[in-house]
Amino acid sequence: MPYTTNDIRRVEEKWQSYWETHKIFKAEMNEKKQKYYVLEMFPYPSGKIHMGHVRNYTIADVIARYKMMRGFNVLHPMGYDAFGQPAENAAIKRGVSPSEWTYKCIDDMRIGLKKMGFSYDWDRELATCDTSYYTWNQWIFLKMAERGLAYKKASPVNWCPSCATTLANEEVIDGACWRCKNQVEQKDLDQWYLKITHYADELLEDLKKLNNWPSRVVAMQENWIGKSFGADIYFKVKGSDAMITVFTTRPDTIFGATYVTLAPEHPMVRKLAKGTAQEAAVEAFIKKSINVSKSPRMSGEERKEGVFTGGYAVNPVNGETIPVWTGDYVLMGYGTGAIMAVPTHDQRDFEFAREHKLPMRIVIQDPANKDITPEQMTQAYVDEGLLVNSAHFDGTPNEEAKQKIAQWMEKGHMGRVSVHWRLRDWLISRQRYWGTPIPMIYCTGCGIVPVPYADLPIKLPENAPITGEGGSPLAKVPEFVNVKCPNCGGEARRETDTMATFFDSSWYFLRYCSARNDREIFDAKEAKYWMPVDQYIGGIEHAILHLLYSRFFTKFLKDIGMVDVPEPFDRLLTQGMVLKDGEVMSKSKGNVVDPDEVIAKFGADTLRMFILFAAPPEDQLEWNPAGLEGNWRFINRVWNSVETRYAKGAVAGAVLDAQDKKLEFERHGAVKKVTDSMEGGFKFNTAISGVMVLVNAVDKYKVTVGNAHQQAMYNRAIETAVQLLAPFIPHAAEELWQMMGKTDRTVAGVAWPTYDEAALKTDTVKMVAQVNGKVRAEFEVPCDADEAYLRPIVLADESVQRHIAGKEIKKFIVVKNKLVSIVI
RNA sequence: GCUGGAGUGGCGGAAUGGUAUACGCGUCGGUCUCAAAAACCGAUGUUCUAACGGGCGUGUGGGUUCGAUUCCCACCUCCAGCACCA
């Protein structure tokens, strides 16, 4: 009887319900047991689960089940990243409330997750839009505000006119909104920021601890934080007391500075131009540069535009007077918004200088081209060399001069050694409804007053008009806005901005540690036990922001004594995309495969197995219906083997014949292979192939009718195969386990099989002989045979003889149990 | 440009110094059947040869080694991320 579609449905429903009612996967703190925390990046509840979710969570589930069989106390929770804009869009489009829409989606997702048979502790399920969760967002915000890490600042922000909201720098991609792809504008607004830069050094330093993260993720974070060493240099403005501070990573080139360039937004630009012939030109240039959204300015392909400001500055190291320009290739947001231009040794300065006919001076000599003049240069010389035209530094190697000149300037008050970062503070204000209200109050008398902790939570009002236009919906709810000042009792207004949703996902892994705690954010003792997350699994798209923010929050919560780990995620696995016909599966491309349909036909086990077997977890996975059927066939073969050839109660004898030994060899070998594949970085594809090899051997093993010994040998081998398959195809494994009469425990709770090295040793071994690196013959020889034994046998071989052909043997190399290499 | 990764049969992939292509898919042949499907058995890198046997073969070119998919050097191609960050 094959494993029919009806069997699949019956078996899968049976075991899903068994696991749930018996709370097989409930996690409880137990100091005596070693814990293992497996976590997948929780989903945004937008509807049903898709193949990307299925892959992500199947990977996590196999790890969780495997670790449980290995005896760990496993925490494997699930929840929903439930605040966000799609809920508001749905509200506008369909007239349902964001809350109603979101909870409906959560219900749909939960059904999909349960159908896959994932081993979650459902008692810890959470949704970030629940008041019981976002209360603690507000708590964290207030704690940060107390320490000056949450602050309000008027500043130019990225404004998406289509979404009518501000965006973090991270949410602007090539000058467009990451969500709606419309052009982003610059606008001055009062906004809340989190001071992530306070942790810049720690966030960078501690990357060294993340040895079990993919190197590219670490590299991306390093890049994003962007620490640059160099010097700030002070240029006096000619004819005034004003000063321009520039930042450079190349203080060794200071004697080659032939002009200074300011970002168009730099406050000195207008001051310098005032009253000069350049005033009108400068004004026009500022207008043009600032109004143009960031994208063309940042694209790097544009010609470098700029104008002379009309002012001059003095190079502090040589007293030289040089012109001050403003140019669009200098960014206000990095460094000091001002640079010293050294066209001979910086490609951007070189292009700008050529474009605007500015002077150049060589200060680092190209050893291969010593006599070149600036006029002959076709590009900046940016490699190493000795300093020239640099007063008493002439002849110094430039790498050495970087430090020497910076220190010399610092001593002479011409500048100072400095460090600048790319990382900026995190803008979290959103003019949106479906998010956590920021717990702040504006009082005309007292100014900005934090909501007292006792007044939390500040609940989202249910009746806010959501139109997608005209700013924050909360501002249109008078009962929400109008409030008494907690300080003086006078009339006051609530903050109507909500928090960016990345805030919610920056600490949810901590909430899972005690998800039902209604007295505090989480139980510190539970967090101490469960943290850090041992294995985190998710998409590469979160390599920078989500992971950086989570690391930031963990460091903050450590500083206030809530957690004791410096980093939240010990190991990180970034799973690859699911493709169909070479393209990423997506609704917009119309090439999605619905997990539900696959489950209906082949079952969740087959789907799980296909996804794990078809590619290593980090690689892209090409959807392949034929492969899926192959995996279904395999499950069927195992099912048939148990159903038709397994017989309970057989007892093995003590003596093993050659066939028995071969089977035991395969059985122990498979345990080793699967265990090694799991331990060595979760190579599920090779783990599964290991079980397939065993099943092939089991099928070949012959049981003579009535031979109890052989029956017992057979039983043992197929039992091991089912155990090894339990993490991968849990439903079928449970059913087979039961069919084999193992009713005292579920296979999910049974111990992972072990192997015996002795069983992997055979009496004889096949060896090959190479002559000059080419295989010429095969031999069956006793295990561990040495050269004295092998030499006469190998040399007597006809094929070996032919290839030696009377020539002198220079070397005779024996690699134990593998090969003999003869060199002639 | 910078950073990270990858290049192996018809396809997904395996092997991290020792018989390249495990395992699966596909294809071909066979058994069973009135027939088909399913299932099972066998073959399957390429090339020369009637056969026995041999040559070639892991992106390209070098190197180290008795032996290289694996280590080293140079290059090519592709993918991903960042990008006028001074």
Side-chain angles (χ1 to χ4, degrees), chain A residues 201 226-232 247 334 416-421:
Chain A
D201 244 323
K227 187 178 191 178
S228 290
F229 297 90
D232 287 351
F247 172 64
Y334 183 75
R416 64 184 179 99
V417 176
S418 71
V419 167
H420 285 266
W421 303 83

Side-chain angles (χ1 to χ4, degrees), chain A residues 248-531:
Chain A
T248 182
T249 55
R250 299 292 308 275
D252 53 320
T253 62
I254 176 68
F255 288 91
T258 49
Y259 61 99
V260 163
T261 314
L262 307 178
E265 300 92 336
H266 196 287
M268 281 304 292
V269 174
R270 280 200 173 93
K271 286 183 193 160
L272 290 170
K274 193 155 191 191
T276 72
Q278 287 298 98
E279 194 166 352
V282 166
E283 199 56 43
F285 180 73
I286 293 174
K287 281 228 170 72
K288 186 179 159 201
S289 316
I290 294 178
N291 280 340
V292 171
S293 79
K294 276 191 171 176
S295 99
R297 262 184 79 185
M298 303 270 267
S299 73
E301 283 153 26
E302 289 281 297
R303 255 180 27 203
K304 291 177 174 38
E305 292 192 33
V307 293
F308 175 46
T309 60
Y312 293 86
V314 180
N315 186 339
V317 300
N318 57 9
E320 199 176 349
T321 296
I322 56 178
V324 180
W325 282 62
T326 175
D328 60 6
Y329 75 104
V330 180
L331 308 173
M332 194 58 216
Y334 183 75
T336 59
I339 62 156
M340 64 174 201
V342 185
T344 46
H345 306 296
D346 180 285
Q347 186 58 25
R348 293 152 302 179
D349 296 342
F350 182 87
E351 286 165 24
F352 191 83
R354 277 280 151 92
E355 179 82 28
H356 302 285
K357 304 193 168 51
L358 287 155
M360 298 187 188
R361 184 191 308 135
I362 291 171
V363 288
I364 295 170
Q365 203 169 51
D366 177 355
N369 215 345
K370 286 188 178 169
D371 298 325
I372 197 167
T373 62
E375 292 70 36
Q376 293 165 329
M377 289 174 89
T378 55
Q379 57 178 17
Y381 178 71
V382 296
D383 297 323
E384 290 181 24
L386 302 181
L387 265 59
V388 291
N389 298 322
S390 297
H392 60 286
F393 291 101
D394 281 0
T396 313
N398 76 296
E399 282 303 322
E400 195 184 319
K402 279 182 182 173
Q403 220 189 359
K404 280 193 172 167
I405 291 183
Q407 284 166 354
W408 169 71
M409 287 192 299
E410 189 160 302
K411 244 179 229 158
H413 306 288
M414 295 173 273
R416 64 184 179 99
V417 176
S418 71
V419 167
H420 285 266
W421 303 83
R422 284 194 48 194
L423 185 69
R424 325 265 180 88
D425 281 344
W426 174 15
L427 168 63
I428 60 153
S429 293
R430 296 291 182 274
Q431 290 68 49
R432 284 278 151 202
Y433 167 74
W434 194 231
T436 307
I438 292 173
M440 285 287 172
I441 290 169
Y442 301 98
C443 170
T444 32
C446 312
I448 301 178
V449 182
V451 170
Y453 289 100
D455 292 355
L456 295 184
I458 303 306
K459 286 192 184 176
L460 262 183
E462 273 160 29
N463 57 345
I466 297 161
T467 58
E469 286 161 4
S472 174
L474 294 184
K476 298 167 196 160
V477 184
E479 315 86 274
F480 179 82
V481 175
N482 299 321
V483 70
K484 298 281 183 236
C485 170
N487 234 6
C488 67
E491 294 298 321
R493 272 184 322 109
R494 272 194 202 288
E495 170 63 65
T496 57
D497 285 355
T498 54
M499 298 180 194
T501 53
F502 272 119
F503 195 111
D504 313 343
S505 53
S506 297
W507 66 280
Y508 74 112
F509 44 90
L510 287 160
R511 182 65 186 171
Y512 280 138
C513 295
S514 49
R516 295 291 169 266
N517 193 328
D518 54 6
R519 303 174 317 278
E520 54 191 339
I521 177 167
F522 52 82
D523 183 326
K525 246 173 71 190
E526 293 267 359
K528 192 173 172 169
Y529 176 74
W530 291 113
M531 288 297 286

Side-chain angles (χ1 to χ4, degrees), chain A residues 15-167:
Chain A
W15 290 104
Q16 282 158 17
S17 130
Y18 183 93
W19 294 326
E20 193 166 347
T21 53
H22 291 79
K23 296 208 181 282
I24 299 292
F25 305 111
K26 184 167 177 60
E28 272 171 295
M29 186 165 85
N30 177 353
E31 300 283 5
K32 287 186 199 118
K33 265 181 103 179
Q34 204 183 341
K35 65 92 184 181
Y36 195 90
Y37 187 175
V38 190
L39 181 67
E40 46 260 60
M41 293 180 186
F42 64 167
Y44 179 81
S46 55
K48 286 164 46 167
I49 62 169
H50 56 65
M51 221 40 105
H53 293 129
V54 169
R55 187 174 194 199
N56 189 167
Y57 309 153
T58 298
I59 290 166
D61 193 58
V62 174
I63 294 171
R65 286 170 176 274
Y66 169 73
K67 287 290 176 181
M68 184 171 161
M69 291 178 81
R70 289 300 303 252
F72 287 90
N73 188 23
V74 171
L75 172 58
H76 185 209
M78 178 43 83
Y80 311 95
D81 187 15
F83 271 140
Q85 193 156 12
E88 284 184 61
N89 293 343
I92 295 162
K93 233 161 108 183
R94 302 169 208 196
V96 290
S97 78
S99 162
E100 208 178 310
W101 184 83
T102 302
Y103 283 103
K104 171 76 173 68
C105 287
I106 287 175
D107 289 342
D108 289 345
M109 293 201 91
R110 192 185 299 110
I111 290 168
L113 294 169
K114 290 197 170 176
K115 268 180 147 175
M116 285 301 296
F118 296 139
S119 62
Y120 298 128
D121 177 357
W122 287 103
D123 293 345
R124 293 173 191 257
E125 189 186 23
L126 60 80
T128 57
C129 62
D130 278 351
T131 311
S132 64
Y133 186 88
Y134 72 71
T135 299
W136 305 110
N137 278 347
Q138 294 172 338
W139 184 90
I140 292 173
F141 183 90
L142 291 174
K143 286 284 174 192
M144 286 187 168
E146 271 174 24
R147 283 159 181 76
L149 295 174
Y151 65 95
K152 199 166 198 192
K153 180 173 79 171
S155 52
V157 296
N158 305 302
W159 177 258
C160 173
S162 143
C163 299
T165 190
T166 54
L167 299 170

Side-chain angles (χ1 to χ4, degrees), chain A residues 522-589:
Chain A
F522 52 82
D523 183 326
K525 246 173 71 190
E526 293 267 359
K528 192 173 172 169
Y529 176 74
W530 291 113
M531 288 297 286
V533 172
D534 293 277
Q535 181 67 61
Y536 198 31
I537 303 130
I540 187 71
E541 68 274 19
H542 291 116
I544 298 177
L545 302 184
H546 164 62
L547 292 172
L548 191 66
Y549 295 153
S550 296
R551 297 179 61 222
F552 161 43
F553 271 44
T554 302
K555 289 181 189 308
F556 170 72
L557 290 166
K558 181 168 186 276
D559 282 354
I560 65 168
M562 293 297 297
V563 297
D564 63 354
V565 291
E567 288 289 332
F569 312 122
D570 183 35
R571 303 181 69 100
L572 175 70
L573 191 157
T574 51
Q575 94 273 1
M577 302 264 192
V578 182
L579 312 183
K580 183 151 183 287
D581 309 319
E583 287 191 307
V584 176
M585 238 186 227
S586 76
K587 255 186 207 162
S588 59
K589 291 215 173 71

